[in-house]
Amino acid sequence: MITLFKKLTVISKALKIGIGITLLIFAAAIIVLVRAGKLEAEMPAARNYAVTVSTIKAELQDVNLTLPYLAQTQNDLDVNLASKITARVEYVKNSGAFVKKGEIIARLDATSIEANRKGVESQLAAAKTELKNLLAIHKRTLQLLVVKGVSIEQSETEESKIAELDSRIESLSQGLNDVSNNLSYAIIRSPVVGQISRTTVNSGDMIMPGQPVATISAGSDFYLMLYVPVNIKVYGVIVKDKNYKAIPLHTTLNGLAAYKVKVDALGMTTGERVEVDVEVYNGNAIKLPVDAILNRDGISYVFVKENDKTVATKINIIQTGEDGVVIQNNELAGKELVVAKQDILLTLLSGVKIKTEEK
């Protein structure tokens, strides 16, 4: 019993000591917090600095927006010349040479064709002579037939021979035309003014009908083929600082709308890629630089200056170009708008004060 009492006495003293230590720590913490609060109260208040920005005045004006694209030159007058006969090449003009319309590009050996033509001419002449003689004989036969000096069978035989000769003469005449055409094919001429961009045969080569001889690139009447997204309205195309009309072809390639642009620029080559500026907007509207617009979650804002504050205002963008955008909000005309980088515009959403740069 005495031992148990001693144990309880020891526990009671330890508990009192623990409680005392806890109270001391708590008191010390309160003193620290009080001193910290006093120091914080004595510190000067943080200053709210204004953000320095630039501004522009929104104005309704005639706007021309463009986007850069690549177009390809084409020319419908470019020609690929080919042989229409079997012959040996006697002469062909060198590639790179400039030619006029009708100028000889190649000359083919026409010896065999000329000999064939002379043979057909001789046969045709003989057939015509034979027909002439037979017609004279038949005329005499018809006279004798009246007085029954010849039989009707002889007259009919002569008429049959005359019909055969007529048919032969017609066939020989057609053959002579064909041979004459083939003879004309021995001289290959340029159908356009241009430059020989390539020759595919050499003098002495034997060529067949349909075999390519030369390619001529026309020197004028070029046009550009332009392909743009179907959702973009094209007002025109600027090539080398000159404006041209874009003709819609109402067809697509890989989902892009096709336009034909007739140009009068010199020094072009078929297949060349040309940098152009496509007019994507032309009209009266408010045009703003990209740095005047903040896009958040698919919504576009501009910041209207009101004294030393800004008001975020939603806008509707009509079209975006290389050097700015066109907006639908004509009510902003005359307002002063902030122009700054995206991080600055994002800061303005918190309502900070602004200070405009001196111009």
Side-chain angles (χ1 to χ4, degrees):
M1 189 70 178
I2 294 173
T3 303
L4 180 60
F5 179 76
K6 287 181 179 181
K7 288 181 179 180
L8 290 174
T9 302
V10 172
I11 292 173
S12 178
K13 288 181 179 180
L15 184 59
K16 289 179 180 180
I17 293 171
I19 292 172
I21 293 173
T22 301
L23 290 174
L24 288 174
I25 293 173
F26 185 71
I30 291 175
I31 292 171
V32 171
L33 290 174
V34 170
R35 288 180 177 179
K38 185 177 180 181
L39 290 174
E40 184 178 356
E42 292 175 352
M43 290 179 64
R47 297 182 63 184
N48 186 13
Y49 292 97
V51 177
T52 303
V53 296
S54 298
T55 60
I56 60 169
K57 190 175 182 180
E59 295 181 5
L60 274 170
Q61 57 186 325
D62 291 332
V63 177
N64 187 351
L65 278 186
T66 62
L67 284 173
Y69 277 90
L70 281 177
Q72 189 173 45
T73 59
Q74 293 189 18
N75 197 316
D76 292 337
L77 296 181
D78 291 348
V79 290
N80 294 312
L81 300 177
S83 174
K84 294 184 178 180
I85 59 175
T86 299
R88 189 175 301 279
V89 179
E90 289 185 343
Y91 162 81
V92 62
K93 206 169 186 65
N94 293 329
S95 60
F98 289 92
V99 294
K100 300 177 181 179
K101 184 176 181 179
E103 188 173 342
I104 296 176
I105 303 300
R107 186 183 296 110
L108 309 180
D109 182 9
T111 304
S112 61
I113 300 175
E114 181 63 31
N116 189 20
R117 183 177 69 85
K118 290 181 178 179
V120 174
E121 285 178 341
S122 297
Q123 295 178 49
L124 182 59
K128 287 181 177 180
T129 300
E130 185 179 355
L131 178 61
K132 181 180 179 181
N133 294 334
L134 186 57
L135 287 172
I137 293 172
H138 186 60
K139 181 179 181 181
R140 178 62 179 166
T141 298
L142 291 176
Q143 292 174 347
L144 293 174
L145 186 61
V146 174
V147 295
K148 302 196 184 292
V150 295
S151 66
I152 191 170
E153 288 80 5
Q154 181 178 342
S155 176
E156 290 175 348
T157 300
E158 291 174 355
E159 289 176 352
S160 177
K161 288 183 178 180
I162 291 172
E164 289 178 2
L165 279 173
D166 280 335
S167 177
R168 185 183 176 193
I169 289 172
E170 184 179 355
S171 177
L172 287 171
S173 297
Q174 182 60 46
L176 183 60
N177 288 334
D178 292 342
V179 172
S180 298
N181 287 336
N182 286 340
L183 191 61
S184 68
Y185 297 150
I187 303 296
I188 301 176
R189 300 178 183 273
S190 173
V192 296
V193 176
Q195 184 180 20
I196 300 176
S197 57
R198 185 178 62 155
T199 56
T200 54
V201 296
N202 298 306
S203 297
D205 290 350
M206 195 72 184
I207 59 175
M208 306 296 290
Q211 183 173 341
V213 174
T215 299
I216 300 179
S217 298
S220 60
D221 294 323
F222 286 97
Y223 64 90
L224 300 178
M225 282 302 301
L226 177 68
Y227 298 93
V228 300
V230 294
N231 62 332
I232 292 181
K233 183 178 180 180
V234 177
Y235 291 81
V237 177
I238 300 173
V239 184
K240 297 180 179 179
D241 298 324
K242 192 170 181 179
N243 196 292
Y244 297 93
K245 181 180 179 182
I247 303 171
L249 299 182
H250 304 292
T251 184
T252 59
L253 177 66
N254 298 327
L256 301 175
Y259 289 84
K260 181 178 181 179
V261 184
K262 295 182 179 180
V263 295
D264 56 11
L266 300 176
M268 287 187 169
T269 304
T270 301
E272 176 186 0
R273 294 187 179 275
V274 180
E275 293 182 357
V276 301
D277 290 318
V278 178
E279 290 183 284
V280 294
Y281 187 87
N282 194 319
N284 190 263
I286 295 177
K287 177 183 176 182
L288 299 177
V290 175
D291 284 345
I293 299 169
L294 175 68
N295 187 282
R296 295 285 292 170
D297 301 324
I299 301 175
S300 298
Y301 299 89
V302 293
F303 292 85
V304 180
K305 180 179 179 298
E306 291 187 1
N307 299 321
D308 61 349
K309 294 282 188 176
T310 59
V311 177
T313 305
K314 293 182 182 179
I315 59 169
N316 296 316
I317 296 177
I318 300 175
Q319 187 55 267
T320 301
E322 185 178 19
D323 60 344
V325 300
V326 170
I327 64 173
Q328 197 174 24
N329 309 75
N330 291 345
E331 68 276 5
L332 292 177
K335 301 287 187 180
E336 198 171 356
L337 308 180
V338 173
V339 178
K341 298 299 181 183
Q342 292 294 294
D343 56 340
I344 302 294
L345 296 179
L346 192 60
T347 303
L348 298 182
L349 285 176
S350 62
V352 298
K353 292 183 178 181
I354 63 169
K355 180 175 66 174
T356 56
E357 292 180 343
E358 293 184 3
K359 299 181 181 180

